[in-house]
Amino acid sequence: MISDANATLLAKLGFAARGVVYMLVGWFAVDAALRGGKIADNQGAIGSIADEAFGPVLLAIVAAGLLGYAIWRLTEAAANPEQIGSDVKGSLKRIGHVISGIAHLILAWTAAKLAMKTGSRDAAVSPGDESARDWTALLLDQPAGRVLVGAVAVGILVAAFQQAQKAWRGDFIHDLRGDAPAPGYVCTMGRIGYGARALVFLIVAGLFALAAWTAHASDAGGVAEALERLQSQPGGKWLLALTGIGLALFGAYSLVEARFRRIHVDLPGTD
């Protein structure tokens, strides 16, 4: 059985893996804005690693890290080590941990499949958009399907609000170890990064809300679709470029967290 210490190391590796993924997503967005390249979502960004030198090894490391991050998030939701309250705010935070954990499990599985050479290596596609529409279609086929899709939209909207709140307050910096004060630019990086994520989540929430309203799964979408919607607006070239820079800065801040964040994974059933 994996120990708490090893799970904690994997979670730290997960922050680094998340950082690499977001830096790649940001790079693809900036490249699309300035040079006409193709936008990639998180899964597409992971796929872009496959054909690089030592790609399978890098993908295996990314998969392990994302798995560790997912375990940490799910453990937080189940064991509540931070003693999050049972009020509405606390419940929403723990639900957010579950959603984050599941999302990173999916990303870990994507990286693992590519490392084992069993997954698609086409970085130009956006698997997240396809998954979002498939799940939306499945929900719409259920009783009260439009309500279910609307609930997903509300959940993503809450996540967008939480990201925006972090960007505004900058209190996430307190999660870093306090043995040395973080330079001001580190907090600025994080605030810009969280702001970019809030914007993307807000657009994704809008896409799911539209799908709920029209009852058309094709109206839903993920990160890549959200970035494409930004690009289609007046001045979209610059909106996309700035958002891409923000996402890359979030990735850079995740690398800082990998090194300096206070974290301890307390697995159920371990001492």
Side-chain angles (χ1 to χ4, degrees), residues 224-271:
E225 177 67 21
L227 293 174
E228 288 173 2
R229 293 296 181 105
L230 263 182
Q231 190 178 27
S232 68
Q233 302 306 307
K237 172 182 177 180
W238 302 112
L239 285 173
L240 179 61
L242 290 173
T243 302
I245 292 171
L247 294 175
L249 286 174
F250 179 79
Y253 182 73
S254 293
L255 296 180
V256 173
E257 288 187 290
R259 175 66 178 82
F260 295 105
R261 184 179 173 116
R262 289 190 302 266
I263 179 174
H264 175 71
V265 181
D266 186 11
L267 294 173
T270 61
D271 295 331

Side-chain angles (χ1 to χ4, degrees), residues 9-271:
L9 286 175
L10 277 178
K12 286 181 173 292
L13 180 61
F15 276 99
R18 185 182 72 170
V20 170
V21 170
Y22 267 94
M23 290 176 75
L24 286 171
V25 171
W27 163 255
F28 279 116
V30 172
D31 184 63
L34 302 183
R35 299 196 304 175
K38 293 189 177 181
I39 294 170
D41 58 18
N42 296 28
Q43 294 183 50
I46 289 173
S48 71
I49 301 174
D51 294 322
E52 299 300 321
F54 305 105
V57 175
L58 293 174
L59 284 167
I61 295 171
V62 168
L66 293 173
L67 176 61
Y69 188 91
I71 291 172
W72 172 59
R73 279 305 195 193
L74 293 172
T75 300
E76 277 195 316
N80 194 20
E82 297 178 347
Q83 300 300 307
I84 300 171
S86 57
D87 57 3
V88 173
K89 182 178 179 181
S91 297
L92 288 174
K93 188 172 183 179
R94 292 179 72 178
I95 291 171
H97 290 339
V98 172
I99 294 172
S100 177
I102 293 172
H104 283 87
L105 276 177
I106 293 171
L107 289 177
W109 176 240
T110 299
K113 286 195 300 181
L114 288 169
M116 295 183 291
K117 300 181 180 181
T118 60
S120 171
R121 291 169 176 256
D122 186 1
V125 301
S126 302
D129 288 342
E130 297 171 11
S131 297
R133 290 167 187 140
D134 289 343
W135 280 104
T136 300
L138 181 63
L139 289 175
L140 287 172
D141 284 339
Q142 308 306 311
R146 294 171 70 175
V147 174
L148 293 174
V149 176
V152 172
V154 170
I156 299 172
L157 182 62
V158 170
F161 174 77
Q162 291 173 338
Q163 300 294 301
Q165 194 174 49
K166 288 183 177 183
W168 177 258
R169 294 179 177 176
D171 53 2
F172 54 83
I173 203 72
H174 300 310
D175 291 331
L176 302 183
R177 293 204 310 264
D179 48 358
Y185 68 83
V186 172
C187 186
T188 300
M189 273 195 326
R191 295 180 82 161
I192 295 172
Y194 277 111
R197 285 231 301 177
L199 176 59
V200 172
F201 285 8
L202 179 63
I203 297 172
V204 173
L207 293 173
F208 275 91
L210 179 61
W213 179 261
T214 63
H216 293 152
S218 58
D219 288 327
V223 171
E225 177 67 21
L227 293 174
E228 288 173 2
R229 293 296 181 105
L230 263 182
Q231 190 178 27
S232 68
Q233 302 306 307
K237 172 182 177 180
W238 302 112
L239 285 173
L240 179 61
L242 290 173
T243 302
I245 292 171
L247 294 175
L249 286 174
F250 179 79
Y253 182 73
S254 293
L255 296 180
V256 173
E257 288 187 290
R259 175 66 178 82
F260 295 105
R261 184 179 173 116
R262 289 190 302 266
I263 179 174
H264 175 71
V265 181
D266 186 11
L267 294 173
T270 61
D271 295 331

